[in-house]
Amino acid sequence: EAYRGVEKVIRFDRVESCETCIGTGAAPGSQPETCPACRGTGQLRQVQNTILGQINTVVPCARCGGRGKVVTNPCQTCSGQGRVRRARELTVEVPPGVDSGMQMPVRGEGESGTQGGPPGDLYIFFEVTDHPIFERQARDLHTVVPISFAQAALGDEIAVPTLSGDKGSLNLPEGTQPGTTFRVRGQGMPDVRDPNRKGDLHVTVKVEVPTRLTDEQKKLLRQFATLREEKLPQEHKGLFGRLKEAFTHHEE
């Protein structure tokens, strides 16, 4: 989803303007009245006498909360607050290339302002879940692909997984060593600001050592080692064979 972009339905609660009183807080047919304490200014001037003289300060009016208006006949829907909390559902377009920690604003989908003021914005924070095959580092992707001993020694063209759905391929040179990392350009994550720009895919090969070899296969591997003048591994003699060999050396 983060690679291609996706359409998501999100659900959230927000405070909205009351439809009954249109955000005024007053019951239908009535209007908020001018605050008698501050006479509609929303502020009160306080005078404090000190040894240095009088200090004048201006504070919000406690009677009206600084609004300059008081509701004497409150709306029954919002209890005179002018706003109510509602559950909302919204469909958003998530752009390709998003990563964990990124955020996207949706203008005008936040909570409503007081006294019928305009709404704010909704901010969506993204968290991208881990992928079972790929590890992401910014726009680059990293993965591990198993290969056989023969492929590593002789070279081969192998298929590599991609998020794009294209059949990715990689040419292994002869003598590829375990843990070698190859770069496949343009198969990483898209840039969230320019989806046409993509990172790279880094493929690390893991040579799988064969297990449970047959006698014939073991014989061929020993012949191979002899041809390369490599030190041959010791034959597996089992517990009885190792004990017999130990006693023989002891007697000598």
Side-chain angles (χ1 to χ4, degrees), residues 66-186:
R67 293 188 294 268
K69 300 284 186 180
V70 291
V71 177
T72 57
N73 185 16
C75 171
Q76 297 298 314
T77 302
C78 64
S79 301
Q81 299 300 313
R83 303 195 298 173
V84 293
R85 181 169 292 277
R86 290 192 176 94
R88 286 301 183 190
E89 186 175 281
L90 184 67
T91 301
V92 295
E93 294 288 341
V94 180
V98 296
D99 201 356
S100 295
M102 290 184 177
Q103 63 183 17
M104 181 178 72
V106 184
R107 305 300 181 191
E109 292 293 344
E111 297 191 337
S112 66
T114 57
Q115 297 183 335
D121 301 328
L122 169 69
Y123 282 82
I124 301 173
F125 291 81
F126 296 105
E127 181 179 349
V128 182
T129 56
D130 293 335
H131 195 277
I133 298 177
F134 301 102
E135 179 182 343
R136 181 177 182 179
Q137 295 181 4
R139 286 189 299 154
D140 287 350
L141 295 175
H142 297 257
T143 190
V144 177
V145 174
I147 62 174
S148 69
F149 168 75
Q151 288 176 310
L154 302 176
D156 193 12
E157 182 177 349
I158 63 172
V160 294
T162 65
L163 282 178
S164 64
D166 299 334
K167 293 183 178 180
S169 62
L170 183 65
N171 289 317
L172 300 178
E174 293 183 8
T176 295
Q177 297 301 306
T180 303
T181 299
F182 299 90
R183 181 194 299 265
V184 183
R185 298 194 178 276

Side-chain angles (χ1 to χ4, degrees), residues 149 153-154 217-230 232:
F149 168 75
L154 302 176
Q217 291 170 336
K218 292 179 181 178
K219 179 181 177 181
L220 292 174
L221 278 178
R222 290 182 179 278
Q223 291 176 356
F224 173 76
T226 301
L227 291 173
R228 288 182 53 84
E229 297 181 353
E230 296 177 356
L232 291 173

